Amino acid sequence: MSGNERFDCIVVGAGPAGTAAALTLARAGVKVVLFERGEFPGAKNVMGGVLYSKTLNKLVPGFWKEAPLERPVIEQNLWMLSSDSVAKVGYRSPRFVPGHAAEGGVPDEGPANAFTVLRAKFDRWFAQKAVDAGALLITETAVEDLLWENGKVVGVQTGRDDGKVYADAVIVTAGLHALNSLIPKMADGRLGIKPEHVALAVKQIIALPKEKIEDRFNLPAGMGATIELVGASTSGLTGISFIYTNADSISIGAGAMLSDYVKSGKHPYDVIEDFKAHPAIKPLIAGGEVKEYLGHLIPEGGYNAVPKLYGDGFMVAGDSAMLVNSVHREGSNLAMESGRLAAETFIKAKERKDYSARSFAAYRDALDKSFVLKDLRKYRGIQHYLDSHPQIFLSYPEMVSEAAFRFLNVDEAPKAEHEKMMVQAVTNRRSMMGLLSDLWAGWRATR
Amino acid sequence: MHSVVLIKQVPDTTEVRMDPKTGTLIRTGVPSIVNPYDVHALEEALALRDKYGGRVTVVTMGPPQAKEALRKCISFGADEAILLTDRAFAGSDTLSTSYILTQAVKKISEQHPVDLVLAGKQAIDGDTAQVGPGVATRLGFEQLTYVVKVEGVDLEKKEITVHRLLEEGREVIKTKLPALLTVVKEANSIRYGSLPHVMRAVRYDPPGWNQAFIGGDLTKMGLKGSPTNVKRIFPPPTRAPGEIIPGGKEDPAAAAALLVDKLTARGAVGGKGAAQ
């Protein structure tokens, strides 16, 4: 037993989940230590770059007035790329950006529905909130293992000399890699990362002047847009690409299932470079300088891959718990909510001085009642659906492109002909029955 | 054995940019780090403590933000870290800085006599390498610069043997303590501080010493005590980019021929007797 001081609770990882947990605990007077392996919170944290406000605003009311955010998102787009063309759908509304009346939003209290963020800045700010509330933040310190006594987690082993720390409970929010390192030991052996449950996303941050961004994306000053892309943007892999506008940079990236990368032998670097070179994308980023190149594994196993979320002396939240909604590209808000709920469960457990699995079962109940698991349950079939219907990502965008071209191209052929050609463009690639079955299965997968 | 390590908080040069108009460093928003050479000096002091016992005190002069650099030193295992901070110190050049640091080392000696002062060979922002030697001179300590290895310390005889890294080789030197060493980065590799040290560092509030506390002659401190006059700071002239011969992919033979023509014209290849 080392001579290190004892804590009430140890939180592993200062991302959205861990910081939300530490902040909630510290505010309740719990003696909490927050371990982060990066040089500072955010140094190693990666996401596409859209942060939803609702959950964070519960934790830090009025956050948008002080947090380092990039742009409030006024417009969201879905683009379908074929090899040389693009079909676009988008929605812009001032109702997305209350509190930004001067820039075209509605004159309301705010916050905007979502903001683009750079995690290196945002996570640092967020973690400081936990520190201000009284959490002890220890950076550059990796938690390498959990300490067990009589089948119960009693602390953590860090990678430093004299690195053991003990506490009544540990909240693990150490990202996806914890699934392989920490979590298998705490559960019943059915765990570990499976390549078909994980997406590999690569992203570049490309510097561009503010004005150029606003011109190219047709944005009111200070406002932001998001574009999600399917089709040729991932070089034939099942996945989604994205372009998000930051204050003076663009986040551009591509994510595809790890199992697809393995099967195809494609290199993530080539996927993003091909994407950037697409004729519809190139002008958006022309003249920009690549400032950062990032990669991240996203747990997209969905509801069925959610591991055991608690046990004697521990709870699991955020990416470590597979709490990512890949359909709506939500993750950090699920992380924050799960971190907060784990903390609240701990606070109640502390009153009873009962840190057993029975006591922490309330965490699972709270998640079940929250949007976190409700949403994941809704999409529980989506993973299987996409696996068994690769055409959704691969042939549909080409189909749409071909149909649109035939419908819109003016060649003096009668319009009735055009319509026929358009239908043909679709049915050449997928029979009417196939289309209907895709639709039906998709609808079923999301009920 | 009591070592005092002089450190400086510097901008992380990998992040620094120049203002193209004024030629000055843009420091706003640039993260600060402990001058890398100073970290090697600290490591050397900690290694000596591991071997011979004693204590390690770290000192820096700077604004309150420099406390972060001092905490970093505590996380490696320093016993104490002192911040010299006072309006009277502002604007000090190397002459004045070495005077103020000397006063501080004397003050530290009142409590725990100092055997050794260590500093990095130079700071990466100013690159002068003047402050360490300046402090040695003022303290009347033996001065050993560019130390790459401490061979050993004889606590009985009060002697230290070190290797100095010189252009033409190494010099092994023995001298009496107290002494001042400036250390090169090849001297050691930095340790990974223990968890108790890191946890202590997070909560550590470095004591702040002001001018009144360390004493000394006010006219030798700050702007008044700094005869150095910076006339102009400018980036070195940018070199013209090299010429890129296009078309290498489509027609490598033509591109190669063009390259050979250009090189021949400059006399870089070919000449009399060269094959056609």
Side-chain angles (χ1 to χ4, degrees):
Chain A
M1 176 111 186
S2 92
N4 282 328
E5 64 182 296
R6 199 187 154 80
F7 290 83
D8 295 336
C9 190
I10 295 166
V11 179
V12 186
T19 296
L23 174 62
T24 307
L25 292 167
R27 277 181 182 155
V30 173
K31 188 177 176 193
V32 54
V33 59
L34 173 60
F35 284 108
E36 166 55 42
R37 70 191 167 115
E39 190 190 344
F40 55 86
K44 286 181 176 287
N45 302 352
V46 179
M47 69 177 189
V50 176
L51 176 79
Y52 297 91
S53 298
K54 180 91 181 173
T55 312
L56 176 57
N57 206 33
K58 279 193 291 192
L59 286 158
V60 187
F63 75 91
W64 72 97
K65 291 166 193 157
E66 50 163 314
L69 306 163
E70 296 299 307
R71 289 171 184 264
V73 176
I74 192 172
E75 184 181 298
Q76 306 191 38
N77 300 279
L78 174 67
W79 289 11
M80 278 159 284
L81 284 191
S82 67
S83 53
D84 61 355
S85 311
V86 58
K88 305 178 179 182
V89 194
Y91 182 66
R92 174 193 289 219
S93 170
R95 287 155 64 202
F96 281 142
V97 289
H100 297 274
E103 300 104 336
V106 298
D108 195 352
E109 252 302 277
N113 171 57
F115 292 88
T116 52
V117 295
L118 294 173
R119 291 282 300 273
K121 291 184 199 166
F122 174 80
D123 287 22
R124 203 172 197 171
W125 168 86
F126 191 34
Q128 188 58 40
K129 289 283 154 198
V131 171
D132 293 346
L136 186 71
L137 170 67
I138 305 290
T139 56
E140 292 178 275
T141 303
V143 167
E144 296 184 337
D145 215 340
L146 300 173
L147 299 173
W148 295 82
E149 265 171 31
N150 307 322
K152 180 183 181 315
V153 173
V154 293
V156 298
Q157 171 74 56
T158 67
R160 291 185 180 273
D161 285 350
D162 295 327
K164 289 188 169 87
V165 184
Y166 292 87
D168 292 327
V170 178
I171 299 176
V172 178
T173 70
L176 181 68
H177 81 281
L179 271 173
N180 260 0
S181 58
L182 301 178
I183 297 177
K185 290 172 197 159
M186 40 174 149
D188 36 18
R190 71 184 175 95
L191 289 159
I193 307 175
K194 298 196 179 93
E196 59 272 25
H197 287 166
V198 176
L200 172 60
V202 285
K203 162 178 161 178
Q204 294 183 359
I205 297 175
I206 298 177
L208 274 176
K210 274 184 178 46
E211 301 72 28
K212 273 217 166 108
I213 292 172
E214 284 155 12
D215 283 353
R216 289 180 187 182
F217 290 82
N218 183 26
L219 291 168
M223 295 282 116
T226 66
I227 306 171
E228 326 286 336
L229 304 97
V230 292
S233 61
T234 45
S235 311
L237 305 178
T238 304
I240 292 182
S241 303
F242 59 87
I243 298 173
Y244 303 145
T245 56
N246 302 316
D248 43 23
S249 65
I250 303 283
S251 291
I252 180 166
M257 298 313 286
L258 194 56
S259 47
D260 258 33
Y261 269 115
V262 173
K263 257 184 269 166
S264 71
K266 286 203 164 75
H267 193 289
Y269 186 81
D270 293 328
V271 171
I272 192 168
E273 288 304 325
D274 287 351
F275 173 40
K276 282 167 65 187
H278 190 281
I281 306 304
K282 213 172 165 186
L284 289 175
I285 52 173
E289 188 194 343
V290 177
K291 300 302 256 186
E292 287 180 50
Y293 188 87
L294 312 95
H296 189 56
L297 289 172
I298 308 168
E300 293 198 347
Y303 188 82
N304 297 326
V306 170
K308 190 175 171 187
L309 294 170
Y310 62 93
D312 285 328
F314 72 86
M315 286 177 269
V316 189
D319 274 11
S320 292
M322 279 257 172
L323 301 178
V324 170
N325 180 345
S326 54
V327 180
H328 289 259
R329 54 124 155 80
E330 293 176 32
S332 56
N333 53 333
L334 281 68
M336 283 180 197
E337 185 71 358
S338 61
R340 186 180 73 80
L341 293 174
E344 286 184 345
T345 305
F346 179 89
I347 292 162
K348 286 200 193 101
K350 189 166 181 276
E351 288 164 14
R352 301 188 293 267
K353 292 198 166 44
D354 179 0
Y355 308 102
S356 66
R358 214 178 26 157
S359 181
F360 288 162
Y363 169 53
R364 170 81 200 204
D365 293 342
L367 276 177
D368 274 323
K369 287 191 194 104
S370 77
F371 72 92
V372 177
L373 284 182
K374 276 187 188 159
D375 286 356
L376 289 193
R377 203 177 304 120
K378 173 173 161 61
Y379 295 115
R380 64 197 303 171
I382 197 80
Q383 216 51 52
H384 177 72
Y385 173 70
L386 294 178
D387 283 349
S388 52
H389 296 73
Q391 61 272 22
I392 299 298
F393 282 104
L394 304 180
S395 32
Y396 275 46
E398 289 289 342
M399 207 186 279
V400 168
S401 167
E402 202 52 36
F405 179 78
R406 292 198 191 178
F407 186 68
L408 297 171
N409 188 36
V410 173
D411 57 1
E412 297 188 349
K415 294 304 177 206
E417 251 334 87
H418 275 238
E419 233 176 80
K420 220 191 266 169
M421 286 191 330
M422 190 179 90
V423 172
Q424 257 171 22
V426 174
T427 49
N428 279 349
R429 285 175 169 77
R430 189 102 177 110
S431 72
M432 211 40 105
M433 281 310 288
L435 277 175
L436 286 174
S437 109
D438 287 352
L439 267 176
W440 170 248
W443 186 78
R444 291 281 301 161
T446 55
R447 287 306 109 184
Chain B
M1 167 123 184
H2 182 199
S3 299
V4 169
V5 185
L6 310 176
I7 68 143
K8 184 179 186 185
Q9 191 181 41
V10 295
D12 188 345
T13 47
T14 55
E15 311 262 352
V16 167
R17 282 189 204 89
M18 287 269 193
D19 184 328
K21 281 186 196 117
T22 62
T24 52
L25 296 177
I26 305 171
R27 291 194 184 214
T28 44
V30 176
S32 294
I33 56 171
V34 181
N35 178 43
Y37 297 111
D38 299 349
V39 184
H40 290 283
L42 172 62
E43 175 58 42
E44 210 50 49
L46 294 170
L48 288 172
R49 187 187 65 185
D50 291 346
K51 207 165 166 188
Y52 301 104
R55 62 187 281 118
V56 173
T57 306
V58 176
V59 183
T60 194
M61 184 181 89
Q65 300 91 280
K67 282 185 176 183
E68 206 45 55
L70 293 172
R71 278 190 204 105
K72 187 84 199 173
C73 296
I74 294 288
S75 80
F76 288 119
D79 297 282
E80 193 182 4
I82 298 160
L83 176 67
L84 309 175
T85 190
D86 198 308
R87 286 200 172 276
F89 302 156
S92 292
D93 65 3
T94 53
L95 187 75
S96 161
T97 301
S98 63
Y99 178 75
I100 295 164
L101 289 172
T102 300
Q103 288 299 121
V105 174
K106 285 180 180 165
K107 191 78 194 170
I108 292 166
S109 274
E110 289 173 13
Q111 278 253 307
H112 301 280
V114 175
D115 303 298
L116 196 63
V117 177
L118 299 101
K121 71 160 176 152
Q122 66 197 53
I124 57 167
D125 56 349
D127 279 337
T128 64
Q130 289 168 355
V131 171
V135 172
T137 308
R138 291 175 189 279
L139 285 169
F141 283 17
E142 296 300 327
Q143 179 192 142
L144 300 164
T145 51
Y146 305 109
V147 170
V148 68
K149 183 181 178 186
V150 176
E151 183 73 45
V153 175
D154 189 328
L155 289 170
E156 291 288 302
K157 292 189 193 158
K158 289 256 164 201
E159 282 173 351
I160 187 167
T161 308
V162 304
H163 296 214
R164 296 180 66 220
L165 188 65
L166 306 176
E167 275 184 31
E168 61 272 24
R170 285 189 180 205
E171 181 182 71
V172 182
I173 265 192
K174 181 160 81 179
T175 190
K176 64 178 175 40
L177 295 172
L180 182 143
L181 319 183
T182 73
V183 175
V184 298
K185 66 177 191 301
E186 292 83 0
N188 50 48
S189 49
I190 312 296
R191 69 188 56 199
Y192 191 52
S194 73
L195 186 62
H197 286 143
V198 171
M199 289 175 63
R200 175 177 177 237
V202 172
R203 293 171 168 144
Y204 188 80
D205 188 20
W209 289 8
N210 59 16
Q211 191 277 326
F213 188 76
I214 62 167
D217 184 351
L218 260 177
T219 63
K220 292 183 176 168
M221 299 177 177
L223 269 181
K224 268 180 285 179
S226 299
T228 312
N229 198 343
V230 179
K231 285 209 162 143
R232 198 160 70 91
I233 302 172
F234 56 93
T238 46
R239 289 192 298 174
E243 186 183 348
I244 295 172
I245 297 172
K249 227 176 188 174
E250 297 78 32
D251 191 353
L258 185 59
L259 174 67
V260 170
D261 284 349
K262 285 185 184 275
L263 290 174
T264 315
R266 288 166 172 243
V269 295
K272 265 182 200 160
Q276 283 295 308

